[in-house]
């Protein structure tokens, strides 16, 4: 084997340089040779350092190239520090060893050859070329890349499923095994049929769940239609999706499916508000013509949210909806009432509370768009917050210069306190009947009351400074109970219904409150419709979520989704199953929902809000105006003429609601109560024969006479 010329020349250089390294430091210490060798050694050390630090391949070969220079410098330094040629001619031995190492172990020329390039110029033997494979139907010679060819091999091995051909295989970004196959039918004009995820998964050795088949859309310059199909093979993406899914993927997999909490929906985006401690999930229906059907507990379980601690709410707006997940119950916060919030604006609107998202909720003291007063409908069980809402509503009406009357069935502390800041207040069914009768009479008085600018009567117009009277607001708390009173119930119900229908023309608003908005409890259909159309009904806790929802739907034109008001807000702590297994009691950490209500807005949408809080333990004068608004002298004098203006706490006056006892009625002395709206002109309800003492019937003749007397025949 012939030695390469570069190796022979390098060995000759080592042989000639070795004596110089041994002799020069001893005979000529200050010669330039010494400096050159040292500089070469320094360069070798630098080259070794850079080679070791580099991440490129071939670092060892580079180090071996520089080693002879470093060893030469070492021999030169050793020779310079020994006396003479050193003991046993050490300098000569070191130089000889360096020359031998360079010649036979570390030749520079050998380590400059890469990829084992032949050292001789003789031509290397060429391997025989393998016979090229002929193109087949599965692997046509179309210049496809390596990935496509490998996919075609697997597809051909599977027997060309569904008589299809792999046109192209595209690897997904940053994925080793995920790819997309573009398939077409082998015969032109034939649709692809019979292809399933199981068939594709078997061909590529993946699960059928990791295969997605998609249609190819027809685009300019690209074929598509039934003869084309895309197969997405995504085992890596699915593995990551199962362990660390994104919000959008979790929504698709667990919420938007047919059995999910919001079927047919898609997540628009997720937003986190750290300041308020809330996460918003905004979503919409894939088909904009559909209405959301949301099972909120199911959505909470799918998203990993607590479902029973009153921190998750849903707001629906057409085909879109918003799910708000709070860290703490948002409606447990107290919003104190202030005069600034309660002062009505130019359209008669004032802030009565705040929603879960912190938005102010407004209601009206009059209807600006209808140029009329506003009625009011407030529902809720005891201790739900009705009287609190009365207080802020009365304060807003008083700040607008309106007159307020309040009647309740029974006396309590809060209504007595409110009586200091309003025109009139009473606490029994008789007082309520008298107030409604007087308000009804005011409709007749105001219908004939001349306006100063032209001397003619006009309908009431809110905000018109020419109006000679103030708006009157009549409150009837526990109206349902009062309407069922045995003595005055029918007067209360009849006058309340008439006032609801006719009062708006004459500046009188009726504000009943109770625990039911239905006809069998005192609210006739006509009365409820008028209240609903001319107010923003407010429904507090009705005792159960179902009763609250039913009451709210009873005040709405359409049955929109009604928010739920639980009996208490309570955060779930730990596992109920674990507590049951250990025999431990559930934590009692509930927060009252008093003051939380559903308000029905003008468009029929029900909104959950927390009403403003008026503290009855403090002075309420900061909420009400300095002077109490009252009726005009003319109105009071007209009511006095009709015998309707006096101390309504007096006992029933003779003939006030029904006629005087009939002395001719066989000495019975029993009164005949009249129906209708009161006054002395009401029609009688009973008859003399109806009050006769029943006689003993001893014969058929007496029985016949008794029947004739009963039927007034």
């Amino acid at each position: 084997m012939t030695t390469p010329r570069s190796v022979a020349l390098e060995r000759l250089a080592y042989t000639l340089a070795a004596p110089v390294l041994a002799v020069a430091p001893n005979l000529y210490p200050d010669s330039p040779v010494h400096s050159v060798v040292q500089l070469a050694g320094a360069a070798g050390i630098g080259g070794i350092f850079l080679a070791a630090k580099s991440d490129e391949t071939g670092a060892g070969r580079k180090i071996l190239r520089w080693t002879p220079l470093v060893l030469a410098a070492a021999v030169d330094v050793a020779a310079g520090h020994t006396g003479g040629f050193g003991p046993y001619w050490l300098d000569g031995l070191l130089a000889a060893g360096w020359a031998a190492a360079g010649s036979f172990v570390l030749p520079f020329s050998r380590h400059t050859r890469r990829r084992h390039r032949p050292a001789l110029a003789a031509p290397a033997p060429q391997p025989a070329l393998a016979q090229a494979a002929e193109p087949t139907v599965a692997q046509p010679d179309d210049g496809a890349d390596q990935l496509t060819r490998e996919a075609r091999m697997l597809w051909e091995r599977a027997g060309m499923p569904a008589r299809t051909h792999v046109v192209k295989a595209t690897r997904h970004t940053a994925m080793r095994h995920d790819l997309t196959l573009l398939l077409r039918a082998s015969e032109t004009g034939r649709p692809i049929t019979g292809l399933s995820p199981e068939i594709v998964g078997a061909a590529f050795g993946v699960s059928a769940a990791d295969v997605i088949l998609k249609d190819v859309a027809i685009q300019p310059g690209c074929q598509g239609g039934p003869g084309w199909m895309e197969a997405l093979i995504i085992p890596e993406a699915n593995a990551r999706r199962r362990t660390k899914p994104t919000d959008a993927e979790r929504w698709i997999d667990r919420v938007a499916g047919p059995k999910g909490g919001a079927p047919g929906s898609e997540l628009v985006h997720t937003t986190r508000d750290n300041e308020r401690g809330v996460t918003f999930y905004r979503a919409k229906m894939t088909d904009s013509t559909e209405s959301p059907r949301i099972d909120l507990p199911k959505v909470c379980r799918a998203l990993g949210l607590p479902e029973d601690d009153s921190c998750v709410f849903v707001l629906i707006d057409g085909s879109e909806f918003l799910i708000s997940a709070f860290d703490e119950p948002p409606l447990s916060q107290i919003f104190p009432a202030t005069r600034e919030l309660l002062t009505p604006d130019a359209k008669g609107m004032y802030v009565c509370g705040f929603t879960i998202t912190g938005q102010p909720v407004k209601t009206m003291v009059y209807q600006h768009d209808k140029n009329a007063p506003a009625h009011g409908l407030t529902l809720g069980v005891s201790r739900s917050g009705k009287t609190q809402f009365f207080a802020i509503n009365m304060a807003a009406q008083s700040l607008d210069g309106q007159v307020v009357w309040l009647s309740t069935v029974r006396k309590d502390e809060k209504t007595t306190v409110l009586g200091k800041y309003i025109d009139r207040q009473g606490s029994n069914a008789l007082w309520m009947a008298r107030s409604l009768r007087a308000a009804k009479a005011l409709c007749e008085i105001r219908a004939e009351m001349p306006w100063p600018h032209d001397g003619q009567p006009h309908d009431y117009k809110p905000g018109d400074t020419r109006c000679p009277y103030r708006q009157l607001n009549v409150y009837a708390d526990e109206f349902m109970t009062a309407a069922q009173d045995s003595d005055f119930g029918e007067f209360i119900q009849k006058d309340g219904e008439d006032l609801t229908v006719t009062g708006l023309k004459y500046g009188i608003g009726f504000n009943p409150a109770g625990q039911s908005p239905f006809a069998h409890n005192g609210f006739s259909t006509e009365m409820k419709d008028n209240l609903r159309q001319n107010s923003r009904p407010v429904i507090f806790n009705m005792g159960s979520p179902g009763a609250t929802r039913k009451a709210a739907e009873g005040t709405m034109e359409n049955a929109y989704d009604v928010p739920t008001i639980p009996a208490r807000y309570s955060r779930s702590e730990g596992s109920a199953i674990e507590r049951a297994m250990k025999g431990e009691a559930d934590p009692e950490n509930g927060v009252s929902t008093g003051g939380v209500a559903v308000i029905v807005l003008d468009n029929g949408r029900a909104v959950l809000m927390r009403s403003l809080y008026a503290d009855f333990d403090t002075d309420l004068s900061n909420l009400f105006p300095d002077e109490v608004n009252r009726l005009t002298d003319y109105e009071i004098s007209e009511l006095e003429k009709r015998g309707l203006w006096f101390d309504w706490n007096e006992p029933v006056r003779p003939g006030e609601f029904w006629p005087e006892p009939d002395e001719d009625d066989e000495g019975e002395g029993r009164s005949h109560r009249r129906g209708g709206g009161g006054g002395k002109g009401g029609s009688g309800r009973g008859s003399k024969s109806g009050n006769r003492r029943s006689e003993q019937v001893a014969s058929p003749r007496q029985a016949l006479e008794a029947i004739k007397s009963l039927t007034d025949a």
Side-chain angles (χ1 to χ4, degrees):
M1 182 176 181
T2 306
T3 303
R5 183 181 304 170
S6 60
V7 175
L9 293 175
E10 187 177 354
R11 289 176 178 176
L12 178 61
Y14 287 144
T15 303
L16 297 176
V20 177
L21 289 178
V23 173
N26 295 302
L27 299 180
Y28 307 100
D30 298 328
S31 66
V33 176
H34 180 72
S35 300
V36 172
V37 173
Q38 295 300 318
L39 290 175
I45 293 174
I48 292 174
F49 176 76
L50 294 176
K53 188 177 180 181
S54 175
D55 295 332
E56 297 180 359
T57 58
R61 185 172 61 252
K62 294 179 181 179
I63 292 173
L64 291 177
R65 292 178 195 169
W66 295 105
T67 301
L69 298 180
V70 178
L71 293 179
V75 171
D76 182 74
V77 171
H81 286 79
T82 56
F85 287 95
Y88 304 103
W89 285 80
L90 180 61
D91 295 349
L93 294 177
L94 290 176
W98 171 80
S103 300
F104 299 100
V105 180
L106 305 172
F108 181 83
S109 59
R110 175 187 300 176
H111 301 295
T112 58
R113 296 195 298 271
R114 300 185 63 183
R115 299 177 182 175
H116 303 284
R117 186 171 64 247
L120 296 176
Q126 297 293 331
L129 295 177
Q131 186 176 2
E134 296 182 0
T136 63
V137 176
Q139 299 186 40
D141 188 9
D142 56 356
D145 56 20
Q146 184 65 24
L147 179 63
T148 302
R149 290 183 176 277
E150 292 176 355
R152 289 172 178 173
M153 291 176 60
L154 295 175
W155 200 249
E156 184 179 13
R157 186 184 65 180
M160 307 291 285
R163 296 160 63 190
T164 57
H165 165 67
V166 177
V167 177
K168 184 175 180 58
T170 306
R171 192 181 304 278
H172 293 185
T173 304
M175 295 292 181
R176 295 183 59 189
H177 302 96
D178 292 5
L179 67 154
T180 298
L181 300 179
L182 178 61
L183 306 173
R184 68 170 174 82
S186 300
E187 296 87 359
T188 304
R190 184 185 65 82
I192 297 178
T193 57
L195 192 63
S196 65
E198 288 78 9
I199 294 175
V200 179
F204 287 87
V206 298
S207 172
D210 297 333
V211 178
I212 300 175
L213 299 179
K214 297 172 56 178
D215 294 333
V216 178
I218 301 176
Q219 300 177 358
C222 179
Q223 298 185 42
W228 294 76
M229 185 172 289
E230 276 189 348
L232 279 67
I233 304 172
I234 49 174
E236 287 187 57
N238 279 354
R240 194 250 338 136
R241 187 168 183 164
R242 287 188 291 267
T243 56
K244 296 180 180 180
T246 62
D247 291 336
E249 291 170 345
R250 186 184 292 109
W251 190 277
I252 294 173
D253 296 340
R254 304 180 184 178
V255 178
K259 296 183 179 180
S265 63
E266 61 179 352
L267 184 66
V268 177
H269 61 76
T270 303
T271 306
R272 173 68 183 176
D273 190 336
N274 292 320
E275 182 178 352
R276 289 188 290 167
V278 57
T279 302
F280 295 108
Y281 298 87
R282 184 172 183 176
K284 66 178 182 179
M285 300 302 294
T286 306
D287 185 353
S288 60
T289 62
E290 294 185 359
S291 299
R293 295 178 291 108
I294 301 173
D295 186 343
L296 192 56
K298 215 169 187 179
V299 174
C300 292
R301 289 191 293 269
L303 298 179
L305 302 174
E307 58 180 288
D308 58 349
D309 60 356
S310 307
C311 289
V312 184
F313 303 90
V314 60
L315 176 64
I316 299 177
D317 184 12
S319 63
E320 294 186 333
F321 59 95
L322 177 71
I323 295 177
S324 307
F326 289 84
D327 298 339
E328 299 292 336
L331 295 180
S332 60
Q333 182 180 356
I334 303 299
F335 301 100
T338 62
R339 183 174 291 194
E340 290 74 17
L341 294 174
L342 298 179
T343 302
D345 58 18
K347 294 185 177 180
M349 307 296 293
Y350 76 94
V351 177
C352 62
F354 291 89
T355 64
I356 56 173
T357 57
Q359 297 172 265
V361 181
K362 290 187 176 183
T363 190
M364 51 195 171
V365 295
Y366 59 81
Q367 302 179 83
H368 180 268
D369 57 331
K370 295 182 180 180
N371 207 20
H375 289 316
L377 177 60
T378 308
L379 304 173
V381 297
S382 300
R383 312 303 297 175
S384 61
K386 295 196 305 294
T387 310
Q388 287 280 350
F389 190 76
F390 276 0
I392 63 172
N393 209 25
M394 291 176 183
Q397 292 165 344
S398 299
L399 291 171
D400 196 56
Q402 302 176 12
V403 184
V404 178
W405 292 351
L406 170 61
S407 59
T408 57
V409 175
R410 295 176 183 85
K411 187 176 182 179
D412 59 53
E413 176 189 5
K414 292 181 179 180
T415 54
T416 303
V417 171
L418 289 174
K420 301 176 183 178
Y421 305 99
I422 60 177
D423 185 29
R424 288 201 140 186
Q425 180 265 329
S427 302
N428 53 58
L430 173 60
W431 203 99
M432 185 182 296
R434 284 170 168 170
S435 66
L436 293 175
R437 185 181 58 175
K440 183 178 177 182
L442 272 177
C443 294
E444 302 175 3
I445 296 171
R446 292 182 172 183
E448 301 176 355
M449 195 169 178
W451 287 41
H453 69 284
D454 60 359
Q456 299 295 326
H458 299 279
D459 289 345
Y460 176 71
K461 296 178 178 60
D464 194 336
T465 56
R466 302 173 300 176
C467 184
Y469 50 83
R470 301 174 184 268
Q471 180 175 319
L472 173 64
N473 301 282
V474 181
Y475 284 82
D477 193 11
E478 299 298 341
F479 179 79
M480 177 187 68
T481 303
Q484 297 175 353
D485 183 78
S486 58
D487 293 329
F488 309 104
E490 63 176 313
F491 301 104
I492 292 173
Q493 184 171 356
K494 181 64 171 61
D495 290 347
E497 182 176 341
D498 291 345
L499 193 63
T500 305
V501 176
T502 62
L504 295 182
K505 288 185 178 181
Y506 311 107
I508 300 177
F510 185 44
N511 298 264
Q515 299 183 16
S516 171
F518 302 106
H520 62 275
N521 288 324
F523 287 88
S524 66
T525 302
E526 185 179 22
M527 179 180 180
K528 186 181 67 174
D529 289 343
N530 278 277
L531 290 173
R532 182 183 63 196
Q533 289 293 329
N534 297 285
S535 70
R536 289 188 169 182
V538 178
I539 300 94
F540 291 88
N541 196 338
M542 298 295 292
S544 68
T548 305
R549 188 178 302 107
K550 184 179 180 182
E553 291 176 352
T555 63
M556 300 166 65
E557 294 182 4
N558 298 314
Y560 286 77
D561 289 335
V562 179
T564 300
I565 304 178
R568 285 177 176 82
Y569 289 140
S570 60
R571 298 301 306 273
S572 58
E573 294 184 1
S575 170
I577 297 177
E578 293 293 336
R579 288 194 295 270
M581 294 176 64
K582 296 178 181 178
E584 298 177 352
D586 289 335
E588 298 180 4
N589 54 359
V591 178
S592 173
T593 56
V596 178
V598 175
I599 183 170
V600 182
L601 303 180
D602 296 339
N603 57 1
R605 184 166 58 92
V607 175
L608 196 64
M609 74 166 185
R610 177 80 167 190
S611 64
L612 300 182
Y613 177 71
D615 191 358
F616 281 85
D617 294 334
T618 61
D619 190 6
L620 296 181
S621 59
N622 60 333
L623 302 181
F624 287 84
D626 297 334
E627 295 184 3
V628 177
N629 302 315
R630 304 189 186 279
L631 298 180
T632 62
D633 295 338
Y634 176 82
E635 293 172 306
I636 293 176
S637 64
E638 289 296 323
L639 288 174
E640 288 177 344
K641 291 179 183 179
R642 291 168 169 77
L644 301 177
W645 190 261
F646 54 91
D647 183 3
W648 292 339
N649 290 309
E650 293 180 5
V652 180
R653 293 182 175 185
E656 183 178 359
F657 288 96
W658 43 80
E660 289 294 316
D662 192 349
E663 296 179 357
D664 297 334
D665 192 10
E666 297 183 0
E668 286 290 318
R670 305 180 71 181
S671 62
H672 308 300
R673 299 179 183 175
R674 300 178 182 269
K680 298 178 181 179
S683 60
R685 186 178 62 176
S687 63
K688 293 181 181 180
S689 61
N691 290 322
R692 292 176 181 173
R693 183 182 294 108
S694 60
E695 300 177 356
Q696 296 293 332
V697 178
S699 64
R701 184 179 180 83
Q702 292 177 347
L704 181 60
E705 292 294 334
I707 292 174
K708 289 181 178 181
S709 64
L710 289 174
T711 59
D712 202 17

